[in-house]
mmCIF file of all heavy atoms in Angstrom:
data_model
loop_
_atom_site.group_PDB
_atom_site.id
_atom_site.type_symbol
_atom_site.label_atom_id
_atom_site.label_comp_id
_atom_site.label_asym_id
_atom_site.label_seq_id
_atom_site.Cartn_x
_atom_site.Cartn_y
_atom_site.Cartn_z
ATOM 1 N N ASN A 14 23.223 -0.545 8.925
ATOM 2 C CA ASN A 14 22.455 0.085 7.863
ATOM 3 C C ASN A 14 20.958 -0.153 8.085
ATOM 4 O O ASN A 14 20.561 -1.074 8.794
ATOM 5 C CB ASN A 14 22.866 -0.489 6.498
ATOM 6 C CG ASN A 14 22.229 0.259 5.345
ATOM 7 O OD1 ASN A 14 22.109 1.479 5.384
ATOM 8 N ND2 ASN A 14 21.805 -0.466 4.323
ATOM 9 N N PHE A 15 20.140 0.682 7.458
ATOM 10 C CA PHE A 15 18.694 0.514 7.516
ATOM 11 C C PHE A 15 18.128 0.805 6.134
ATOM 12 O O PHE A 15 18.101 1.947 5.678
ATOM 13 C CB PHE A 15 18.075 1.443 8.558
ATOM 14 C CG PHE A 15 16.587 1.283 8.718
ATOM 15 C CD1 PHE A 15 15.949 0.108 8.346
ATOM 16 C CD2 PHE A 15 15.813 2.293 9.261
ATOM 17 C CE1 PHE A 15 14.577 -0.056 8.489
ATOM 18 C CE2 PHE A 15 14.443 2.145 9.418
ATOM 19 C CZ PHE A 15 13.829 0.974 9.029
ATOM 20 N N SER A 16 17.679 -0.234 5.450
ATOM 21 C CA SER A 16 16.997 -0.078 4.169
ATOM 22 C C SER A 16 15.509 0.015 4.469
ATOM 23 O O SER A 16 14.865 -0.982 4.780
ATOM 24 C CB SER A 16 17.304 -1.268 3.250
ATOM 25 O OG SER A 16 16.565 -1.178 2.055
ATOM 26 N N GLU A 17 14.942 1.207 4.369
ATOM 27 C CA GLU A 17 13.579 1.438 4.861
ATOM 28 C C GLU A 17 12.583 1.751 3.749
ATOM 29 O O GLU A 17 11.583 2.433 3.970
ATOM 30 C CB GLU A 17 13.582 2.570 5.890
ATOM 31 C CG GLU A 17 14.305 3.831 5.463
ATOM 32 C CD GLU A 17 14.481 4.798 6.619
ATOM 33 O OE1 GLU A 17 13.524 4.999 7.387
ATOM 34 O OE2 GLU A 17 15.586 5.345 6.762
ATOM 35 N N SER A 18 12.833 1.244 2.557
ATOM 36 C CA SER A 18 11.888 1.429 1.462
ATOM 37 C C SER A 18 12.171 0.392 0.388
ATOM 38 O O SER A 18 13.186 -0.300 0.424
ATOM 39 C CB SER A 18 12.012 2.845 0.871
ATOM 40 O OG SER A 18 13.293 3.029 0.286
ATOM 41 N N GLY A 19 11.262 0.296 -0.587
ATOM 42 C CA GLY A 19 11.458 -0.651 -1.676
ATOM 43 C C GLY A 19 10.197 -0.817 -2.495
ATOM 44 O O GLY A 19 9.108 -0.355 -2.107
ATOM 45 N N PRO A 20 10.297 -1.483 -3.643
ATOM 46 C CA PRO A 20 9.138 -1.650 -4.521
ATOM 47 C C PRO A 20 8.035 -2.519 -3.932
ATOM 48 O O PRO A 20 6.905 -2.493 -4.413
ATOM 49 C CB PRO A 20 9.744 -2.300 -5.779
ATOM 50 C CG PRO A 20 11.010 -2.955 -5.302
ATOM 51 C CD PRO A 20 11.527 -2.079 -4.212
ATOM 52 N N GLY A 21 8.342 -3.289 -2.880
ATOM 53 C CA GLY A 21 7.300 -4.091 -2.241
ATOM 54 C C GLY A 21 6.316 -3.257 -1.446
ATOM 55 O O GLY A 21 5.198 -3.708 -1.153
ATOM 56 N N SER A 22 6.707 -2.033 -1.081
ATOM 57 C CA SER A 22 5.816 -1.153 -0.322
ATOM 58 C C SER A 22 4.664 -0.685 -1.196
ATOM 59 O O SER A 22 4.849 -0.381 -2.380
ATOM 60 C CB SER A 22 6.594 0.060 0.192
ATOM 61 O OG SER A 22 7.670 -0.319 1.028
ATOM 62 N N GLY A 23 3.478 -0.605 -0.620
ATOM 63 C CA GLY A 23 2.323 -0.148 -1.373
ATOM 64 C C GLY A 23 1.037 -0.378 -0.611
ATOM 65 O O GLY A 23 1.035 -0.898 0.506
ATOM 66 N N ILE A 24 -0.067 0.009 -1.220
ATOM 67 C CA ILE A 24 -1.386 -0.105 -0.607
ATOM 68 C C ILE A 24 -2.177 -1.205 -1.324
ATOM 69 O O ILE A 24 -2.238 -1.237 -2.556
ATOM 70 C CB ILE A 24 -2.153 1.227 -0.687
ATOM 71 C CG1 ILE A 24 -1.365 2.334 0.036
ATOM 72 C CG2 ILE A 24 -3.540 1.088 -0.079
ATOM 73 C CD1 ILE A 24 -1.968 3.714 -0.141
ATOM 74 N N TYR A 25 -2.764 -2.098 -0.536
ATOM 75 C CA TYR A 25 -3.564 -3.195 -1.078
ATOM 76 C C TYR A 25 -5.008 -3.055 -0.585
ATOM 77 O O TYR A 25 -5.251 -2.560 0.522
ATOM 78 C CB TYR A 25 -2.999 -4.543 -0.650
ATOM 79 C CG TYR A 25 -1.720 -4.915 -1.372
ATOM 80 C CD1 TYR A 25 -0.522 -4.293 -1.070
ATOM 81 C CD2 TYR A 25 -1.727 -5.885 -2.370
ATOM 82 C CE1 TYR A 25 0.656 -4.622 -1.739
ATOM 83 C CE2 TYR A 25 -0.561 -6.230 -3.047
ATOM 84 C CZ TYR A 25 0.620 -5.596 -2.721
ATOM 85 O OH TYR A 25 1.770 -5.934 -3.388
ATOM 86 N N LYS A 26 -5.939 -3.528 -1.408
ATOM 87 C CA LYS A 26 -7.364 -3.405 -1.081
ATOM 88 C C LYS A 26 -8.039 -4.770 -1.152
ATOM 89 O O LYS A 26 -7.737 -5.582 -2.020
ATOM 90 C CB LYS A 26 -8.049 -2.442 -2.061
ATOM 91 C CG LYS A 26 -9.535 -2.228 -1.783
ATOM 92 C CD LYS A 26 -10.139 -1.249 -2.789
ATOM 93 C CE LYS A 26 -11.626 -1.018 -2.515
ATOM 94 N NZ LYS A 26 -12.227 -0.046 -3.473
ATOM 95 N N SER A 27 -8.954 -4.993 -0.206
ATOM 96 C CA SER A 27 -9.786 -6.194 -0.211
ATOM 97 C C SER A 27 -11.249 -5.779 -0.224
ATOM 98 O O SER A 27 -11.638 -4.849 0.494
ATOM 99 C CB SER A 27 -9.507 -7.055 1.020
ATOM 100 O OG SER A 27 -10.419 -8.143 1.095
ATOM 101 N N ILE A 28 -12.050 -6.472 -1.024
ATOM 102 C CA ILE A 28 -13.490 -6.186 -1.074
ATOM 103 C C ILE A 28 -14.308 -7.385 -0.623
ATOM 104 O O ILE A 28 -15.537 -7.393 -0.750
ATOM 105 C CB ILE A 28 -13.918 -5.755 -2.489
ATOM 106 C CG1 ILE A 28 -13.595 -6.829 -3.517
ATOM 107 C CG2 ILE A 28 -13.272 -4.426 -2.870
ATOM 108 C CD1 ILE A 28 -14.137 -6.524 -4.912
ATOM 109 N N ASP A 29 -13.608 -8.396 -0.078
ATOM 110 C CA ASP A 29 -14.315 -9.588 0.402
ATOM 111 C C ASP A 29 -13.945 -9.918 1.848
ATOM 112 O O ASP A 29 -13.797 -11.075 2.219
ATOM 113 C CB ASP A 29 -14.045 -10.782 -0.508
ATOM 114 C CG ASP A 29 -12.556 -11.104 -0.622
ATOM 115 O OD1 ASP A 29 -11.738 -10.438 0.053
ATOM 116 O OD2 ASP A 29 -12.211 -12.017 -1.383
ATOM 117 N N GLY A 30 -13.798 -8.876 2.653
ATOM 118 C CA GLY A 30 -13.540 -9.091 4.069
ATOM 119 C C GLY A 30 -12.150 -9.596 4.380
ATOM 120 O O GLY A 30 -11.957 -10.293 5.374
ATOM 121 N N GLY A 31 -11.162 -9.235 3.560
ATOM 122 C CA GLY A 31 -9.787 -9.600 3.843
ATOM 123 C C GLY A 31 -9.381 -10.980 3.406
ATOM 124 O O GLY A 31 -8.296 -11.449 3.751
ATOM 125 N N ARG A 32 -10.214 -11.638 2.631
ATOM 126 C CA ARG A 32 -9.880 -12.995 2.174
ATOM 127 C C ARG A 32 -8.955 -12.975 0.956
ATOM 128 O O ARG A 32 -8.090 -13.838 0.813
ATOM 129 C CB ARG A 32 -11.162 -13.774 1.871
ATOM 130 C CG ARG A 32 -11.953 -14.107 3.144
ATOM 131 C CD ARG A 32 -13.353 -14.607 2.833
ATOM 132 N NE ARG A 32 -14.054 -15.016 4.055
ATOM 133 C CZ ARG A 32 -14.675 -14.164 4.870
ATOM 134 N NH1 ARG A 32 -14.660 -12.867 4.606
ATOM 135 N NH2 ARG A 32 -15.284 -14.602 5.964
ATOM 136 N N THR A 33 -9.132 -11.996 0.088
ATOM 137 C CA THR A 33 -8.237 -11.814 -1.053
ATOM 138 C C THR A 33 -7.901 -10.337 -1.176
ATOM 139 O O THR A 33 -8.671 -9.466 -0.716
ATOM 140 C CB THR A 33 -8.877 -12.297 -2.371
ATOM 141 O OG1 THR A 33 -10.069 -11.540 -2.625
ATOM 142 C CG2 THR A 33 -9.223 -13.783 -2.294
ATOM 143 N N TRP A 34 -6.744 -10.061 -1.808
ATOM 144 C CA TRP A 34 -6.247 -8.684 -1.902
ATOM 145 C C TRP A 34 -5.731 -8.399 -3.299
ATOM 146 O O TRP A 34 -5.276 -9.306 -4.011
ATOM 147 C CB TRP A 34 -5.117 -8.457 -0.902
ATOM 148 C CG TRP A 34 -5.507 -8.661 0.527
ATOM 149 C CD1 TRP A 34 -5.581 -9.843 1.202
ATOM 150 C CD2 TRP A 34 -5.893 -7.638 1.451
ATOM 151 N NE1 TRP A 34 -5.987 -9.628 2.501
ATOM 152 C CE2 TRP A 34 -6.189 -8.279 2.682
ATOM 153 C CE3 TRP A 34 -6.014 -6.255 1.373
ATOM 154 C CZ2 TRP A 34 -6.590 -7.592 3.812
ATOM 155 C CZ3 TRP A 34 -6.419 -5.550 2.497
ATOM 156 C CH2 TRP A 34 -6.700 -6.212 3.699
ATOM 157 N N SER A 35 -5.788 -7.124 -3.680
ATOM 158 C CA SER A 35 -5.188 -6.677 -4.929
ATOM 159 C C SER A 35 -4.487 -5.345 -4.679
ATOM 160 O O SER A 35 -4.946 -4.532 -3.859
ATOM 161 C CB SER A 35 -6.246 -6.518 -6.027
ATOM 162 O OG SER A 35 -7.226 -5.567 -5.649
ATOM 163 N N ARG A 36 -3.368 -5.156 -5.355
ATOM 164 C CA ARG A 36 -2.625 -3.910 -5.191
ATOM 165 C C ARG A 36 -3.438 -2.755 -5.779
ATOM 166 O O ARG A 36 -3.976 -2.864 -6.880
ATOM 167 C CB ARG A 36 -1.267 -3.992 -5.866
ATOM 168 C CG ARG A 36 -0.418 -2.756 -5.645
ATOM 169 C CD ARG A 36 1.046 -3.075 -5.689
ATOM 170 N NE ARG A 36 1.855 -1.896 -5.406
ATOM 171 C CZ ARG A 36 3.096 -1.919 -4.977
ATOM 172 N NH1 ARG A 36 3.689 -3.089 -4.773
ATOM 173 N NH2 ARG A 36 3.760 -0.818 -4.747
ATOM 174 N N SER A 37 -3.511 -1.673 -5.023
ATOM 175 C CA SER A 37 -4.308 -0.532 -5.441
ATOM 176 C C SER A 37 -3.421 0.456 -6.190
ATOM 177 O O SER A 37 -2.527 1.070 -5.602
ATOM 178 C CB SER A 37 -4.939 0.142 -4.216
ATOM 179 O OG SER A 37 -5.718 1.245 -4.598
ATOM 180 N N ASP A 38 -3.624 0.588 -7.494
ATOM 181 C CA ASP A 38 -2.850 1.524 -8.307
ATOM 182 C C ASP A 38 -3.543 2.884 -8.304
ATOM 183 O O ASP A 38 -4.265 3.246 -9.242
ATOM 184 C CB ASP A 38 -2.710 1.000 -9.735
ATOM 185 C CG ASP A 38 -1.867 -0.261 -9.780
ATOM 186 O OD1 ASP A 38 -0.877 -0.329 -9.036
ATOM 187 O OD2 ASP A 38 -2.215 -1.181 -10.546
ATOM 188 N N MET A 39 -3.326 3.618 -7.245
ATOM 189 C CA MET A 39 -3.971 4.922 -7.120
ATOM 190 C C MET A 39 -3.185 5.964 -7.909
ATOM 191 O O MET A 39 -1.966 6.059 -7.803
ATOM 192 C CB MET A 39 -4.035 5.325 -5.642
ATOM 193 C CG MET A 39 -4.836 4.358 -4.795
ATOM 194 S SD MET A 39 -4.893 4.855 -3.065
ATOM 195 C CE MET A 39 -5.840 3.507 -2.365
ATOM 196 N N ASN A 40 -3.919 6.741 -8.684
ATOM 197 C CA ASN A 40 -3.269 7.777 -9.480
ATOM 198 C C ASN A 40 -2.568 8.777 -8.569
ATOM 199 O O ASN A 40 -3.165 9.312 -7.627
ATOM 200 C CB ASN A 40 -4.302 8.511 -10.344
ATOM 201 C CG ASN A 40 -4.859 7.619 -11.436
ATOM 202 O OD1 ASN A 40 -4.186 6.692 -11.881
ATOM 203 N ND2 ASN A 40 -6.086 7.888 -11.862
ATOM 204 N N GLY A 41 -1.289 9.007 -8.849
ATOM 205 C CA GLY A 41 -0.542 9.994 -8.094
ATOM 206 C C GLY A 41 0.217 9.432 -6.911
ATOM 207 O O GLY A 41 1.096 10.115 -6.363
ATOM 208 N N PHE A 42 -0.091 8.196 -6.480
ATOM 209 C CA PHE A 42 0.636 7.643 -5.340
ATOM 210 C C PHE A 42 1.938 7.018 -5.823
ATOM 211 O O PHE A 42 1.944 6.257 -6.790
ATOM 212 C CB PHE A 42 -0.201 6.604 -4.601
ATOM 213 C CG PHE A 42 0.322 6.281 -3.231
ATOM 214 C CD1 PHE A 42 0.020 7.099 -2.160
ATOM 215 C CD2 PHE A 42 1.150 5.186 -3.018
ATOM 216 C CE1 PHE A 42 0.510 6.824 -0.895
ATOM 217 C CE2 PHE A 42 1.649 4.900 -1.764
ATOM 218 C CZ PHE A 42 1.330 5.724 -0.694
ATOM 219 N N PRO A 43 3.069 7.315 -5.168
ATOM 220 C CA PRO A 43 4.373 6.837 -5.651
ATOM 221 C C PRO A 43 4.495 5.315 -5.638
ATOM 222 O O PRO A 43 3.850 4.632 -4.850
ATOM 223 C CB PRO A 43 5.361 7.473 -4.663
ATOM 224 C CG PRO A 43 4.620 8.591 -4.026
ATOM 225 C CD PRO A 43 3.194 8.165 -3.985
ATOM 226 N N ARG A 44 5.352 4.814 -6.530
ATOM 227 C CA ARG A 44 5.727 3.414 -6.561
ATOM 228 C C ARG A 44 7.215 3.333 -6.830
ATOM 229 O O ARG A 44 7.807 4.211 -7.454
ATOM 230 C CB ARG A 44 4.967 2.659 -7.657
ATOM 231 C CG ARG A 44 3.470 2.577 -7.430
ATOM 232 C CD ARG A 44 2.800 1.628 -8.402
ATOM 233 N NE ARG A 44 3.193 0.240 -8.147
ATOM 234 C CZ ARG A 44 2.557 -0.815 -8.643
ATOM 235 N NH1 ARG A 44 1.498 -0.644 -9.412
ATOM 236 N NH2 ARG A 44 2.960 -2.038 -8.390
ATOM 237 N N GLY A 45 7.860 2.264 -6.325
ATOM 238 C CA GLY A 45 9.269 2.074 -6.625
ATOM 239 C C GLY A 45 10.145 1.969 -5.404
ATOM 240 O O GLY A 45 9.673 1.779 -4.279
ATOM 241 N N GLU A 46 11.446 2.115 -5.616
ATOM 242 C CA GLU A 46 12.444 1.898 -4.572
ATOM 243 C C GLU A 46 12.318 2.864 -3.404
ATOM 244 O O GLU A 46 12.718 2.549 -2.294
ATOM 245 C CB GLU A 46 13.849 2.017 -5.173
ATOM 246 C CG GLU A 46 14.206 0.917 -6.158
ATOM 247 C CD GLU A 46 14.426 -0.418 -5.461
ATOM 248 O OE1 GLU A 46 14.599 -0.423 -4.226
ATOM 249 O OE2 GLU A 46 14.425 -1.448 -6.160
ATOM 250 N N GLY A 47 11.772 4.047 -3.634
ATOM 251 C CA GLY A 47 11.736 5.052 -2.579
ATOM 252 C C GLY A 47 10.502 5.053 -1.710
ATOM 253 O O GLY A 47 10.366 5.901 -0.820
ATOM 254 N N VAL A 48 9.584 4.105 -1.920
ATOM 255 C CA VAL A 48 8.347 4.077 -1.123
ATOM 256 C C VAL A 48 8.629 3.409 0.210
ATOM 257 O O VAL A 48 8.960 2.226 0.277
ATOM 258 C CB VAL A 48 7.219 3.344 -1.871
ATOM 259 C CG1 VAL A 48 5.949 3.335 -1.026
ATOM 260 C CG2 VAL A 48 6.955 4.007 -3.217
ATOM 261 N N GLY A 49 8.498 4.170 1.281
ATOM 262 C CA GLY A 49 8.773 3.658 2.619
ATOM 263 C C GLY A 49 7.501 3.341 3.381
ATOM 264 O O GLY A 49 6.497 2.918 2.803
ATOM 265 N N ARG A 50 7.533 3.589 4.667
ATOM 266 C CA ARG A 50 6.394 3.266 5.533
ATOM 267 C C ARG A 50 5.184 4.121 5.162
ATOM 268 O O ARG A 50 5.299 5.302 4.856
ATOM 269 C CB ARG A 50 6.784 3.489 6.996
ATOM 270 C CG ARG A 50 5.688 3.154 7.991
ATOM 271 C CD ARG A 50 6.203 3.193 9.413
ATOM 272 N NE ARG A 50 5.154 2.858 10.365
ATOM 273 C CZ ARG A 50 5.350 2.650 11.660
ATOM 274 N NH1 ARG A 50 6.569 2.741 12.156
ATOM 275 N NH2 ARG A 50 4.354 2.344 12.461
ATOM 276 N N ILE A 51 3.997 3.498 5.248
ATOM 277 C CA ILE A 51 2.745 4.160 4.892
ATOM 278 C C ILE A 51 1.772 4.052 6.062
ATOM 279 O O ILE A 51 1.584 2.970 6.624
ATOM 280 C CB ILE A 51 2.107 3.526 3.641
ATOM 281 C CG1 ILE A 51 3.086 3.553 2.464
ATOM 282 C CG2 ILE A 51 0.809 4.235 3.270
ATOM 283 C CD1 ILE A 51 2.634 2.708 1.288
ATOM 284 N N GLY A 52 1.158 5.162 6.419
ATOM 285 C CA GLY A 52 0.092 5.177 7.411
ATOM 286 C C GLY A 52 -1.227 5.497 6.739
ATOM 287 O O GLY A 52 -1.291 6.359 5.849
ATOM 288 N N LEU A 53 -2.299 4.811 7.135
ATOM 289 C CA LEU A 53 -3.589 4.944 6.453
ATOM 290 C C LEU A 53 -4.694 5.415 7.393
ATOM 291 O O LEU A 53 -4.667 5.129 8.600
ATOM 292 C CB LEU A 53 -4.012 3.602 5.849
ATOM 293 C CG LEU A 53 -3.085 2.971 4.810
ATOM 294 C CD1 LEU A 53 -3.624 1.599 4.411
ATOM 295 C CD2 LEU A 53 -2.939 3.869 3.599
ATOM 296 N N ALA A 54 -5.657 6.133 6.841
ATOM 297 C CA ALA A 54 -6.872 6.512 7.569
ATOM 298 C C ALA A 54 -7.994 6.705 6.560
ATOM 299 O O ALA A 54 -7.790 7.320 5.506
ATOM 300 C CB ALA A 54 -6.650 7.789 8.368
ATOM 301 N N VAL A 55 -9.180 6.180 6.886
ATOM 302 C CA VAL A 55 -10.364 6.348 6.049
ATOM 303 C C VAL A 55 -11.279 7.365 6.722
ATOM 304 O O VAL A 55 -11.504 7.321 7.932
ATOM 305 C CB VAL A 55 -11.100 5.009 5.854
ATOM 306 C CG1 VAL A 55 -12.360 5.205 5.020
ATOM 307 C CG2 VAL A 55 -10.192 3.990 5.190
ATOM 308 N N HIS A 56 -11.824 8.289 5.924
ATOM 309 C CA HIS A 56 -12.721 9.308 6.455
ATOM 310 C C HIS A 56 -13.921 8.624 7.124
ATOM 311 O O HIS A 56 -14.541 7.730 6.535
ATOM 312 C CB HIS A 56 -13.193 10.220 5.325
ATOM 313 C CG HIS A 56 -13.814 11.494 5.800
ATOM 314 N ND1 HIS A 56 -15.062 11.555 6.386
ATOM 315 C CD2 HIS A 56 -13.345 12.776 5.787
ATOM 316 C CE1 HIS A 56 -15.355 12.799 6.707
ATOM 317 N NE2 HIS A 56 -14.326 13.566 6.347
ATOM 318 N N PRO A 57 -14.282 9.017 8.337
ATOM 319 C CA PRO A 57 -15.325 8.284 9.080
ATOM 320 C C PRO A 57 -16.717 8.394 8.482
ATOM 321 O O PRO A 57 -17.548 7.497 8.690
ATOM 322 C CB PRO A 57 -15.272 8.920 10.477
ATOM 323 C CG PRO A 57 -14.640 10.259 10.256
ATOM 324 C CD PRO A 57 -13.672 10.092 9.136
#
């Protein structure tokens, strides 16, 4: 079997150079059991 999603999946943000993090509650982004792998890119 392969369980490839869960509520632990999500996007976290740091504003102090990666020393501390907080979960980013972005409007419209899914949360819950069905959130799987996430790929990120920031506009250059």
Side-chain angles (χ1 to χ4, degrees):
N14 188 39
F15 183 22
S16 175
E17 50 190 316
S18 64
S22 301
I24 301 173
Y25 286 74
K26 181 179 180 179
S27 173
I28 59 174
D29 58 3
R32 290 168 176 82
T33 61
W34 300 82
S35 60
R36 184 152 183 158
S37 180
D38 294 321
M39 299 180 182
N40 291 333
F42 196 82
R44 295 190 68 165
E46 293 289 344
V48 180
R50 181 171 181 171
I51 304 169
L53 300 176
V55 178
H56 195 287

